Structures are given as C-alpha cells and as structure tokens.
Amino acid sequence: MYIALNKLSKAWEFIKEDAHKDGGCTVLILVAPDADAIAACRIVTSLLRSEFILYKVKPVYSYEHLHEIRGNLITENESLKSLILINCGGTVDLGTFLELPEDGLTVYVVDCHRPHNIRNIQGTSS
C-alpha cells in the first residue's frame, strides 16, 4: 500500500516493532547501485543502528539478480520481518515476482523510478 510522506513515522514504528519481537536479523535492505539509493541506504542503516536492530544490506544489479537473492535470502528465512527495497523492484509486481509469503513479511519499496507497478502501490494491509 502507498504510504504518504507524513505517515513514514508509522512505517518506521512497524519496522522497529517487528524487529524487537523476535530478535535476530529481521531486516533485509536491497539497494540499487546508484548514488541516491546508496545515500538513502546510509540514512536507513544509521536509523537501524541507533535502535540496535540487526540488518543485512545487499546490492541489486538487475531483476535476475533480485530473483537470485529471493532464493538465497528471502525464501525459507523465518526471522526476516521487513524487506526494504531502495530504488529497485518498484516496476514489477513484487508479490508474484519474489513469490513472497502471505504473512510475516512486510515489504517497503522506496523507488524514484517510474512507472510504479499498481499492485505494489495498492498492496495489502492487515
């Protein structure tokens, strides 16, 4: 679902809440190799460190690479609660492309590329 800029604090609260429930590395950040995405990743990781939330950062070079990452880091990862995609993944239907589980994983897409896939914008809410 689309989150307006003035509601970003609510998304941050969800990430913190999910991270503190189970512990472990609950946040995976996938980042495109461009200057804006790297700068945004630096900000997000600083926030996560300030809250003592464990995270993993992985660069993404293409949709094929994103599909490989799904197989290696997302599928069967019970501790993963938040997936943050920075400047990657916004143009495809992520639910179908990554074969995401129905429950337990929240995906946050921060992407300045256009057009956005309408299914990512509508999303689902619990």
Side-chain angles (χ1 to χ4, degrees):
M1 111 174 63
Y2 176 78
I3 300 174
L5 286 176
N6 61 348
K7 304 280 186 184
L8 283 178
S9 61
K10 188 174 181 180
W12 176 243
E13 291 301 319
F14 285 141
I15 292 171
K16 288 191 318 186
E17 184 180 304
D18 283 343
H20 293 301
K21 280 180 189 174
D22 297 328
C25 186
T26 61
V27 179
L28 175 61
I29 305 169
L30 303 178
V31 185
D34 62 52
D36 292 337
I38 293 169
C41 181
R42 172 78 172 155
I43 293 168
V44 171
T45 57
S46 294
L47 288 169
L48 292 168
R49 271 195 308 273
S50 72
E51 294 289 336
F52 303 103
I53 297 172
L54 296 176
Y55 61 89
K56 182 180 272 193
V57 176
K58 190 80 173 159
V60 175
Y61 302 104
S62 65
Y63 281 107
E64 291 81 20
H65 190 225
L66 184 60
H67 202 266
E68 286 176 29
I69 291 170
R70 177 200 62 84
N72 297 334
L73 298 174
I74 299 171
T75 305
E76 306 293 327
N77 186 347
E78 297 293 324
S79 65
L80 185 62
K81 302 297 178 195
S82 299
L83 176 62
I84 302 172
L85 291 97
I86 302 177
N87 270 4
C88 59
T91 58
V92 297
D93 177 7
L94 289 171
T96 304
F97 184 77
L98 295 178
E99 301 169 10
L100 297 172
E102 292 294 321
D103 294 328
L105 178 63
T106 305
V107 179
Y108 301 91
V109 179
V110 181
D111 199 336
C112 65
H113 300 109
R114 299 286 188 257
H116 292 289
N117 187 292
I118 193 71
R119 295 188 131 203
N120 293 338
I121 292 172
Q122 291 171 339
T124 59
S125 58
S126 12

